[in-house]
Amino acid sequence: MKLLKVPLEEINETQNKFGVIYAFEVLEHLLNPELLFHKASSLLTNGGLLILSTPNSASIEVTSMKNASNTIDIEHISIVTPLAIHSLA
């Protein structure tokens, strides 16, 4: 098993293929989150998995607490909904 802990853009897709790519709490920090999906797609083996987590802008916390929620802050620039993630994928 090969485990790399590096940015996706630094991995050469012609030399490396992966069965699983994890991206926990990363998507919300990207200016162009669709690039993560594109790069992951080129790095995954057939049937490989992209497993990620990210804040949900449609969550009960965000919709009920609004500005009092700490989910949306200056560091989170791409807060998405589950539908947006489905579209990106």
Side-chain angles (χ1 to χ4, degrees), residues 9-49:
E9 58 270 9
E10 293 179 10
I11 302 172
N12 182 334
E13 60 267 0
T14 60
Q15 297 176 337
N16 295 283
K17 295 291 180 184
F18 301 92
V20 178
I21 295 175
Y22 296 97
F24 292 123
E25 304 303 304
V26 172
L27 192 66
E28 66 274 15
H29 298 279
L30 303 177
L31 285 173
N32 297 308
E34 64 274 6
L35 295 177
L36 180 138
F37 289 88
H38 178 72
K39 183 68 174 190
S41 176
S42 71
L43 290 169
L44 287 168
T45 58
N46 286 340
L49 298 173

